[in-house]
Amino acid sequence: MREHLTAVGTEKAPCQTSIAEAIMSSREVVPSHPVSPRELTQNPLKKIWMPLPCKNGLPQKHISQRKVCMTNCPTLIVTVGLPARGKTYISKKLTRYLNWIGVPTREFNVGQYRRECVKIYKSFEFFRPDNEEGLKIRQQCASAALNDVRQYLADEGGQVAVFDATNTTRDRRLTITAFAEQNGFKVFFVESVCEDPEVIAENIVQVKLGSPDYMNCNTEEAMVDFKKRIECYENSYETLDEVQDRHLSYIKIIDVGRRYLVNQVQDHIQSRIVYYLMNIHITPRSIYLCRHGESDLNVKGCIGGDSGLSPRGREFSKHLGKFIESQEISDLKVWTSQMKRTIQTAEAVSVPYEQWKALNEIDAGVCEEMMYEEIQQHYPLEFALRDQDKYRYRYPKGESYEDLVQRLEPVIMELERQENVLVICHQAVMRCLLAYFRDKSAEELPYLECPLHTVLKLTPVAYGCKVESIVLNVDAVNTHRGRPENINIHRSTEDALQTVPAHL
Amino acid sequence: MHVFSAIMHWERERERPVGKSLTSWASVPQLTNSPTVIVMVGLPARGKTYISKKLTRYLNWIGFPTKVFNLGEYRRDAVQTYKNFEFFRHDNEEAMQIRKACATNALKDISIYFSKDNGQVAVFDATNTTRERRVSIVGFAKENGYKVFFIESICNDPDIIAQNITEVKVSSPDYVNCDMEEALADFLQRIECYNQFYVPLDDEKDRNLSYIKIFDVGSRYLVNQLQDHIQSRIVYYLMNIHVTPRSIYLTRHGESELNLLGRIGGDSGLSHRGHKYAASLGSFLKGQKINDLKVWTSHMKRTIQTAEHLGVPYEQWKALNEIDAGVCEELTYEEIQEQHPEEFALRDQDKYRYRYPMGESYEDLVHRLEPVIMELERQENVLVVCHQAVMRCLLAYLLNKSSDELPYLKCPLHTVLKLTPVAYGCNVEPISLNVEAVNTHRERPVNVDVTRDPAEALKTIPDHF
């Protein structure tokens, strides 16, 4: 997810190319010769067909594949809004989403820079518009942050940077726009406008009171001070204006999503960002993730397939049904895949369920229904390649985790729209969903622990997600195969099978 | 074992689901319960009918049964001959009665569409420019338990309006006996009749309605109170479409080695003739001098090899891969008949919904291709190098073909289709590049019964080596 993907020769954009881009892009290699088709070779890891020749007689290391992000210019997302309007919440959530779908994104929170600079926060007076020293420091912090933004986008292969600060004056926004232009970055503003005092108070309670700034204050003191802080910004606040700012690209979110104003969406990624922002909400709810009950193939140590539940699997389903009932969840939606084992599991839960093909387990292609021992026997090279890069590795005639993430994106989008949901799925699928909610990297994702007969209850809280693991006391085989030490393609069978979990 | 489970799955598809499973056995849950009435709002010549038709086409393609109810058509039915703009004068009482009656009839038909025809979405295409009219529609919807979503198009650019009038109004049945100038003049007066009493959706007064306001053909949008999944999808779609003139070129890869052998699926390379086609395609494109063309391929060797001949940058989409024929991959039709005769028959019975064992259905393909369509809408000039089933799906979307027609659309090898949006539809120019290839099109045979003879099953198979 944190890799930087470029298309094979998308149009040359009039902006700075990063070093990473220059190496990975085959734009330079794109033939201007009209009719000599290049020979193709299939990348052994990702099973992508790519042209030869390449640099130094070696196959090109990286090839385009259409994923997301048609944009070549990096994008700078700029939040706008008074304190306690959800800017950081949005920044973090958006960053998490973009990274998950494969767009390298990072947030830059100016408040953090300020905390580094001014070790101890005294009071709201720091933010008074007439506090010259305060202003100077804040200006420096903003500049430092922008500098880091530049480095991230231009030198480190970042695609999107989220500049999280109030940015409430037109002047400040002009500075940022100029900075972006100089560096060839596109700019997209995300303004959050909210005047509902209850929402604001709730925000303050959830995330401000626990901030390092208020470590040594009690709740009332902190509340009073923060409200005065907001006032410091109010007088100079210039909201994005329909007329004056009509040439800027932005979305204005009003009252936590009751209304949106969208202006001049420039490209694919901005369109995706707008769509995402219009689908998220902050209504309290929980998401329950679990796998199907233990299946017959699980017991045999075989991967994939479409088998039914084992007796213990059926036992688990009953327990799951009882557990769900006991939770007394309001208006629960239940989703399954279209594979027998998840549907059988759902049948024991006395709630109507809906099937998603997108929730089907990863397609192991030629390795479907094999045990790991058999895979090692028939496809030792594949087995090793998979251990080398489990996220990107695609089974022959099958899928990769990377493919799975793309397949699951509509599920995530709908999960964002929904409230209480129970998702009954599969090991690889659950890892992908979990990685989204827990902000896990592409490296960690394929090794997340998702044992059978365990329900994870995820509840959004503050800027993150509370995870409760509920083990439903029904034994099951372990299906988790850790990464072995030796991932070399010439390794012994013993080395390859070192971490295979026990089975019948 | 796999055949059996596929048949079981198939059997279940044909019954209405009982018990706790909510969905039809489509690949994506319906996620929508109440029917939705989409209500267009705006002065004449603001693109309401364009949006209505396009949106309806998209929603049907992704599996939400949708229909347009165009008030102008009801009016033309009621008042056989259109005289002039005076019909639309606010003080023309007789006309007002007729127009009101037409609206009532349209709403009645919407009810029937929802209750008897399994409709999911109805698009009420009319000006709906007064608050009074909109209130009555909301009332109607509430009585019946329908959701309402307004789409208002606001545009005051005289150039755009004139362009719209020229493209679609002047040729309307209303102006069949007028010349262009007369038509234009009359239409502008017609707009004036509405303008006087136009009350746009209001930020404050309409704060509890669900709507999107589109300003100036998409430079700006205001979205209010999105209620559910389908409204969210509609908004996303509307924000991605544009009216900039452009063309979409669709073609399959050049003839492949497996094509020659009459085998389906697989990942083979181009045959000699396939290479020849690709080279011709390259020359053809150069000749067209297309501005800023994007080229997309699948991840399969044959489309990439084809693109390699074009000498321009291209992007690979896994979503453009050919339909996965599961256990039937790389088999000939004869072999499929031999090894999976029941599957073969089931496929002929309902080719759109039929899913290969361990493979996909056309219906699955459509869902897979949705992001491609969305990006095609955003883009301008694009050449898509893909596969037979995939091309059928894309074509069905662009030309508004039903799910029954879709799997039988003719998409021969070595032919490029140039599609250019025009008025409310799409101009199609087939371009044959005069390089021979096998025919891969298998028509639906007469006998689709599972008990049929092999000969009857294989009747419509095209020739191969």
Side-chain angles (χ1 to χ4, degrees):
Chain A
M1 290 180 295
R2 297 226 153 80
E3 56 175 11
H4 178 62
L5 291 168
T6 354
V8 166
T10 40
E11 58 188 284
K12 258 197 184 318
C15 51
Q16 206 167 350
T17 37
S18 69
I19 299 168
E21 259 189 279
I23 294 173
M24 291 190 278
S25 160
S26 50
R27 266 176 280 175
E28 288 86 324
V29 188
V30 163
S32 49
H33 61 255
V35 277
S36 300
R38 294 171 293 186
E39 280 232 21
L40 298 180
T41 183
Q42 194 176 43
N43 165 294
L45 184 83
K46 297 175 90 163
K47 314 298 188 291
I48 305 271
W49 288 103
M50 27 189 244
L52 301 163
C54 23
K55 310 207 186 236
N56 310 318
L58 296 164
Q60 281 172 275
K61 278 188 88 178
H62 182 89
I63 194 65
S64 77
Q65 56 167 335
R66 183 58 169 88
K67 258 186 83 183
V68 160
C69 214
M70 296 275 314
T71 182
N72 303 309
C73 289
T75 304
L76 176 59
I77 298 178
V78 181
T79 63
V80 179
L82 294 173
R85 263 55 176 183
K87 298 184 301 300
T88 301
Y89 176 81
I90 290 169
S91 301
K92 286 183 184 267
K93 208 170 157 74
L94 188 56
T95 300
R96 176 163 57 89
Y97 168 70
L98 290 172
N99 276 314
W100 187 76
I101 61 171
V103 181
T105 306
R106 192 184 292 175
E107 29 137 8
F108 297 81
N109 177 287
V110 174
Q112 253 155 255
Y113 283 76
R114 188 257 308 157
R115 275 185 280 274
E116 304 257 308
C117 196
V118 182
K119 295 298 179 182
I120 308 175
Y121 174 77
K122 289 217 193 75
S123 78
F124 77 93
E125 309 256 354
F126 180 81
F127 292 96
R128 287 177 57 151
D130 54 2
N131 181 343
E132 284 205 27
E133 202 192 318
L135 278 172
K136 208 164 128 206
I137 296 175
R138 288 156 70 194
Q139 183 96 290
Q140 282 170 355
C141 289
S143 301
L146 284 180
N147 219 18
D148 286 350
V149 163
R150 182 206 337 258
Q151 194 176 330
Y152 176 64
L153 296 179
D155 303 332
E156 291 174 26
Q159 191 68 46
V160 177
V162 184
F163 186 61
D164 177 18
T166 50
N167 299 315
T168 39
T169 61
R170 183 155 281 115
D171 263 347
R172 167 59 58 87
R173 296 196 290 267
L174 267 167
T175 314
I176 298 173
T177 314
F179 158 84
E181 247 175 66
Q182 266 172 34
N183 287 287
F185 306 149
K186 288 188 182 173
V187 183
F188 187 72
F189 293 94
V190 177
E191 181 171 18
S192 173
V193 176
C194 180
E195 290 314 318
D196 183 339
E198 276 177 39
V199 174
I200 296 165
E202 176 66 31
N203 285 356
I204 299 177
V205 165
Q206 268 216 27
V207 295
K208 299 296 179 187
L209 301 185
S211 136
D213 291 345
Y214 296 109
M215 230 173 17
N216 297 315
C217 303
N218 69 34
T219 310
E220 267 138 50
E221 291 172 335
M223 197 50 125
V224 166
D225 184 271
F226 199 83
K227 289 201 171 135
K228 292 220 177 92
R229 208 153 116 178
I230 299 178
E231 272 167 42
C232 295
Y233 287 89
E234 268 169 350
N235 282 331
S236 57
Y237 183 17
E238 296 170 283
T239 184
L240 286 169
D241 183 72
E242 258 174 47
V243 180
Q244 277 191 60
D245 297 311
R246 67 185 177 284
H247 295 299
L248 297 181
S249 298
Y250 65 83
I251 178 171
K252 204 187 261 219
I253 305 171
I254 298 156
D255 293 334
V256 205
R258 189 178 57 81
R259 239 157 110 76
Y260 304 93
L261 225 144
V262 180
N263 197 65
Q264 302 281 17
V265 170
Q266 295 176 53
D267 61 14
H268 175 94
I269 191 89
Q270 291 181 15
S271 161
R272 293 287 286 275
I273 289 167
V274 164
Y275 184 41
Y276 181 71
L277 292 176
M278 295 200 318
N279 280 308
I280 61 180
H281 68 78
I282 56 169
T283 311
R285 51 84 170 251
S286 290
I287 296 168
Y288 298 79
L289 296 182
C290 73
R291 291 167 67 187
H292 52 82
E294 184 191 68
S295 73
D296 287 327
L297 283 178
N298 284 146
V299 171
K300 296 201 191 113
C302 298
I303 67 172
D306 194 15
S307 61
L309 297 180
S310 69
R312 298 195 294 196
R314 272 172 273 152
E315 191 61 31
F316 165 74
S317 311
K318 288 200 206 117
H319 284 238
L320 180 65
K322 292 210 188 89
F323 167 71
I324 293 294
E325 234 183 280
S326 73
Q327 289 271 296
E328 290 184 336
I329 306 156
S330 123
D331 203 24
L332 176 71
K333 300 279 189 324
V334 178
W335 295 352
T336 70
S337 70
Q338 288 194 334
M339 297 180 139
K340 198 169 174 190
R341 51 199 188 277
T342 57
I343 299 169
Q344 281 183 324
T345 309
E347 283 284 327
V349 180
S350 53
V351 181
Y353 59 90
E354 303 203 64
Q355 299 183 19
W356 290 74
K357 187 171 192 276
L359 285 171
N360 279 5
E361 181 58 314
I362 191 171
D363 184 355
V366 302
C367 298
E368 276 285 318
E369 300 198 41
M370 287 191 178
M371 301 184 288
Y372 288 118
E373 293 85 342
E374 288 171 316
I375 302 178
Q376 169 59 22
Q377 193 188 350
H378 298 291
Y379 303 101
L381 172 63
E382 295 292 329
F383 204 38
L385 286 175
R386 186 159 208 252
D387 285 333
Q388 289 180 13
D389 190 343
K390 197 174 176 190
Y391 184 73
R392 281 164 209 85
Y393 171 81
R394 189 184 280 169
Y395 282 104
K397 306 211 177 151
E399 294 176 303
S400 62
Y401 272 94
E402 194 171 36
D403 294 329
L404 248 196
V405 161
Q406 201 170 22
R407 191 176 11 108
L408 287 168
E409 204 261 348
V411 177
I412 286 295
M413 196 62 88
E414 192 55 28
L415 266 175
E416 286 294 345
R417 290 198 58 79
Q418 291 290 341
E419 293 183 20
N420 292 318
V421 187
L422 164 65
V423 184
I424 303 174
C425 54
H426 306 265
Q427 184 166 246
V429 169
M430 186 163 159
R431 284 172 170 155
C432 293
L433 298 178
L434 199 55
Y436 167 75
F437 287 110
R438 307 273 289 136
D439 201 17
K440 298 295 183 184
S441 68
E443 278 60 53
E444 301 169 278
L445 186 161
Y447 295 102
L448 292 175
E449 297 258 4
C450 293
L452 287 165
H453 299 188
T454 310
V455 182
L456 290 182
K457 177 179 178 181
L458 302 154
T459 313
V461 72
Y463 295 140
C465 214
K466 188 171 85 150
V467 188
E468 250 178 271
S469 173
I470 302 137
V471 182
L472 288 184
N473 275 327
V474 179
D475 279 338
V477 293
N478 172 25
T479 58
H480 186 98
R481 177 177 167 269
R483 191 181 201 250
E485 261 182 64
N486 190 348
I487 56 175
N488 193 281
I489 60 179
H490 300 296
R491 64 191 175 175
S492 67
T493 300
E494 206 188 318
D495 278 352
L497 299 176
Q498 195 195 4
T499 56
V500 171
H503 59 85
L504 254 63
Chain B
M1 188 208 342
H2 304 297
V3 173
F4 185 68
S5 66
I7 291 177
M8 285 301 289
H9 171 92
W10 180 241
E11 299 284 30
R12 279 175 283 150
E13 269 199 48
R14 320 196 77 214
E15 308 158 11
R16 288 229 51 80
V18 275
K20 301 185 209 88
S21 174
L22 278 184
T23 46
S24 64
W25 302 69
S27 42
V28 180
Q30 277 298 354
L31 297 170
T32 183
N33 304 312
S34 321
T36 304
V37 182
I38 297 180
V39 182
M40 303 302 301
V41 180
L43 293 173
R46 262 58 176 181
K48 296 185 302 300
T49 302
Y50 175 83
I51 291 169
S52 301
K53 287 180 184 260
K54 206 170 160 72
L55 185 58
T56 299
R57 177 161 56 89
Y58 169 69
L59 290 173
N60 276 314
W61 189 74
I62 59 172
F64 293 104
T66 307
K67 190 170 171 191
V68 179
F69 295 82
N70 176 288
L71 201 52
E73 265 161 50
Y74 281 78
R75 189 258 307 155
R76 275 186 280 276
D77 250 2
V79 182
Q80 296 293 326
T81 326
Y82 173 76
K83 286 213 194 77
N84 61 33
F85 77 95
E86 310 255 352
F87 181 85
F88 292 97
R89 287 176 58 143
H90 195 76
D91 53 4
N92 183 340
E93 285 205 21
E94 199 191 321
M96 285 299 255
Q97 292 285 47
I98 297 175
R99 290 161 71 195
K100 226 181 208 156
C102 287
T104 310
N105 286 337
L107 290 181
K108 213 180 278 176
D109 285 350
I110 288 176
S111 278
I112 296 174
Y113 179 60
F114 286 153
S115 56
K116 302 228 166 51
D117 289 338
N118 288 319
Q120 192 71 51
V121 181
V123 182
F124 187 45
D125 178 16
T127 51
N128 297 314
T129 39
T130 61
R131 175 153 287 118
E132 185 191 41
R133 168 60 59 83
R134 296 195 292 266
V135 162
S136 76
I137 297 173
V138 170
F140 156 84
K142 218 175 184 162
E143 265 173 44
N144 290 287
Y146 307 149
K147 289 189 179 170
V148 183
F149 186 70
F150 292 92
I151 299 177
E152 182 170 24
S153 173
I154 294 176
C155 179
N156 293 315
D157 182 335
D159 287 334
I160 298 182
I161 296 164
Q163 165 82 338
N164 284 356
I165 299 178
T166 318
E167 259 206 56
V168 296
K169 298 298 178 184
V170 161
S171 55
S172 135
D174 289 344
Y175 295 112
V176 85
N177 295 317
C178 304
D179 71 29
M180 225 162 77
E181 266 144 49
E182 289 173 337
L184 187 59
D186 184 86
F187 200 83
L188 287 171
Q189 292 202 278
R190 207 154 116 176
I191 298 180
E192 253 325 289
C193 295
Y194 285 93
N195 206 5
Q196 286 188 295
F197 301 94
Y198 180 20
V199 178
L201 288 166
D202 184 77
D203 280 0
E204 264 313 301
K205 299 209 179 98
D206 297 312
R207 60 204 311 273
N208 291 321
L209 296 181
S210 298
Y211 64 84
I212 178 172
K213 265 194 207 215
I214 306 172
F215 294 92
D216 297 325
V217 204
S219 70
R220 202 151 62 86
Y221 305 91
L222 214 148
V223 179
N224 195 66
Q225 300 279 29
L226 278 184
Q227 295 176 52
D228 62 14
H229 174 90
I230 196 164
Q231 290 180 15
S232 160
R233 294 286 288 275
I234 288 168
V235 163
Y236 184 41
Y237 182 70
L238 292 176
M239 297 199 320
N240 280 309
I241 61 181
H242 67 77
V243 292
T244 311
R246 50 84 170 251
S247 290
I248 297 169
Y249 297 80
L250 296 183
T251 182
R252 289 167 67 186
H253 52 82
E255 182 190 69
S256 74
E257 318 251 301
L258 285 180
N259 285 146
L260 278 179
L261 299 172
R263 295 182 175 282
I264 66 172
D267 193 15
S268 60
L270 297 180
S271 69
H272 177 72
R273 299 194 292 196
H275 278 290
K276 211 161 151 223
Y277 168 71
S280 304
L281 182 61
S283 311
F284 166 73
L285 288 175
K286 281 218 174 51
Q288 289 272 297
K289 289 199 188 350
I290 304 158
N291 180 26
D292 202 22
L293 178 71
K294 298 281 192 319
V295 177
W296 296 349
T297 70
S298 70
H299 274 192
M300 295 179 141
K301 195 172 177 187
R302 49 200 188 278
T303 56
I304 300 168
Q305 279 184 326
T306 306
E308 278 289 322
H309 279 270
L310 307 179
V312 293
Y314 58 88
E315 296 202 66
Q316 303 184 18
W317 291 71
K318 186 170 192 276
L320 285 171
N321 278 6
E322 181 57 316
I323 191 172
D324 184 354
V327 301
C328 297
E329 276 286 318
E330 302 200 38
L331 298 184
T332 59
Y333 288 119
E334 292 88 337
E335 287 167 343
I336 300 176
Q337 168 59 27
E338 198 186 335
Q339 297 172 29
H340 309 280
E342 247 181 289
E343 294 293 325
F344 205 34
L346 288 174
R347 186 159 206 252
D348 285 334
Q349 290 179 17
D350 189 344
K351 196 174 174 190
Y352 182 72
R353 276 164 213 84
Y354 171 82
R355 190 184 279 168
Y356 280 106
M358 315 237 285
E360 293 176 303
S361 63
Y362 270 94
E363 193 170 35
D364 295 330
L365 249 196
V366 162
H367 284 110
R368 208 200 322 133
L369 287 167
E370 206 259 345
V372 177
I373 287 294
M374 198 61 91
E375 191 55 26
L376 259 179
E377 286 294 345
R378 290 199 58 81
Q379 290 292 336
E380 295 184 18
N381 292 318
V382 186
L383 164 68
V384 184
V385 183
C386 55
H387 306 265
Q388 183 167 246
V390 170
M391 186 161 159
R392 285 171 171 155
C393 293
L394 298 178
L395 203 55
Y397 166 73
L398 294 165
L399 299 182
N400 200 25
K401 298 294 181 185
S402 70
S403 60
D404 290 326
E405 301 169 278
L406 185 161
Y408 295 101
L409 293 175
K410 287 224 160 68
C411 294
L413 287 165
H414 297 188
T415 312
V416 188
L417 289 182
K418 177 179 177 180
L419 298 138
T420 312
V422 72
Y424 294 140
C426 218
N427 220 1
V428 191
E429 220 187 296
I431 300 146
S432 175
L433 291 184
N434 278 325
V435 179
E436 297 242 341
V438 293
N439 172 26
T440 58
H441 187 95
R442 179 177 168 269
E443 283 293 359
R444 190 181 199 253
V446 172
N447 192 345
V448 299
D449 201 85
V450 296
T451 58
R452 65 189 175 177
D453 282 337
E456 294 177 289
L458 300 174
K459 209 162 193 179
T460 55
I461 290 181
D463 297 325
H464 60 86
F465 286 100

